[in-house]
Amino acid sequence: KAGVTQTPRYLIKTRGQQVTLSCSPISGHRSVSWYQQTPGQGLQFLFEYFSETQRNKGNFPGRFSGRQFSNSRSEMNVSTLELGDSALYLCASSFGPGAQYNEQFFGPGTRLTVL
Amino acid sequence: KNEVEQSPQNLTAQEGEFITINCSYSVGISALHWLQQHPGGGIVSLFMLSSGKKKHGRLIATINIQEKHSSLHITASHPRDSAVYICAAPHSGGGADGLTFGKGTHLIIQP
């Protein structure tokens, strides 16, 4: 069974631009969660989607948004990029909703650099 | 919001030593996750546990729900165990949410 895939793996953008990252979950998984990892803040929860609905959102500004498609693939979008958005963006999939009861399977991440 | 604390932040040990990493959290939960992250960023889920103890190879995870504390042990440590170990608890402690992460323990096992 193929694991969680994320594209692109690396991305360089300039301030003010927008970016879209993609995550394909493990086949059969319906939940996708997104996380941001930076050296200063560590790993932080962005949002979770289950069956095309955003169920939860972390403490991030509205510039960070996402969506999930009927095949469970998910995208996250960051508009008006800032230098501080440089980070490793990870997605994780699980069969059911939420991390309370479901093991999370992580993708390799997309490393975003904002210049 | 759940607060997750890990200790130690950094740990260097010799091959073969018994390793213990501790994790405490502030809000009662039903399950806690232990993750491993190697250089390059990839994260692997090691354990999700809600009570007692789980074992996988040389790795053992324990949790005490009443004391809001969990430990990860590595027996007969090996240089390939060198990685960052992260514990994570559900975001708000109840219901089905994303994860709140500890800052991680950077483990180096020297041959």
Side-chain angles (χ1 to χ4, degrees):
Chain A
K1 196 184 252 191
V4 179
T5 58
Q6 291 186 247
T7 57
R9 294 292 310 279
Y10 301 91
L11 205 49
I12 300 175
K13 292 286 188 178
T14 56
R15 279 181 298 176
Q17 287 186 311
Q18 75 166 21
V19 67
T20 298
L21 312 181
S22 179
C23 173
S24 292
I26 290 170
S27 177
H29 285 192
R30 294 166 60 196
S31 172
V32 174
S33 297
W34 287 91
Y35 301 91
Q36 181 196 66
Q37 185 176 36
T38 60
Q41 298 296 318
L43 273 161
Q44 294 182 281
F45 169 70
L46 278 157
F47 29 67
E48 181 207 359
Y49 286 88
F50 180 78
S51 293
E52 302 179 64
T53 301
Q54 186 183 89
R55 298 185 66 252
N56 299 290
K57 185 171 165 60
N59 189 24
F60 279 82
R63 299 185 298 107
F64 291 81
S65 63
R67 59 178 175 168
Q68 187 179 35
F69 302 95
S70 58
N71 62 357
S72 295
R73 189 177 71 86
S74 177
E75 289 181 346
M76 69 163 280
N77 184 275
V78 187
S79 62
T80 319
L81 284 166
E82 300 177 359
L83 294 178
D85 297 333
S86 294
L88 180 67
Y89 290 88
L90 292 147
C91 75
S93 77
S94 61
F95 180 76
Q100 183 79 295
Y101 303 108
N102 296 278
E103 185 177 8
Q104 304 286 292
F105 295 83
F106 287 81
T110 294
R111 189 165 294 281
L112 171 65
T113 301
V114 182
L115 302 176
Chain B
K1 182 189 169 186
N2 219 337
E3 303 290 336
V4 178
E5 299 285 338
Q6 265 186 258
S7 62
Q9 285 191 324
N10 297 284
L11 180 57
T12 300
Q14 296 297 121
E15 183 174 356
E17 285 189 38
F18 182 82
I19 303 299
T20 295
I21 299 170
N22 295 301
C23 176
S24 60
Y25 50 93
S26 59
V27 178
I29 59 172
S30 293
L32 183 121
H33 300 252
W34 280 100
L35 310 170
Q36 179 192 57
Q37 185 171 32
H38 280 282
I43 292 179
V44 174
S45 174
L46 297 175
F47 296 102
M48 186 181 78
L49 70 166
S50 56
S51 66
K53 180 166 74 173
K54 283 191 175 180
K55 185 175 187 290
H56 184 252
R58 296 178 294 103
L59 300 177
I60 302 167
T62 63
I63 190 168
N64 185 317
I65 294 292
Q66 287 73 30
E67 294 186 3
K68 300 186 180 64
H69 181 269
S70 177
S71 293
L72 176 69
H73 305 284
I74 305 175
T75 62
S77 59
H78 189 275
R80 66 175 173 267
D81 297 326
S82 298
V84 178
Y85 293 84
I86 304 167
C87 70
H91 198 54
S92 67
D97 290 317
L99 294 171
T100 297
F101 299 85
K103 294 198 179 298
T105 295
H106 188 189
L107 175 65
I108 298 173
I109 304 296
Q110 295 177 334

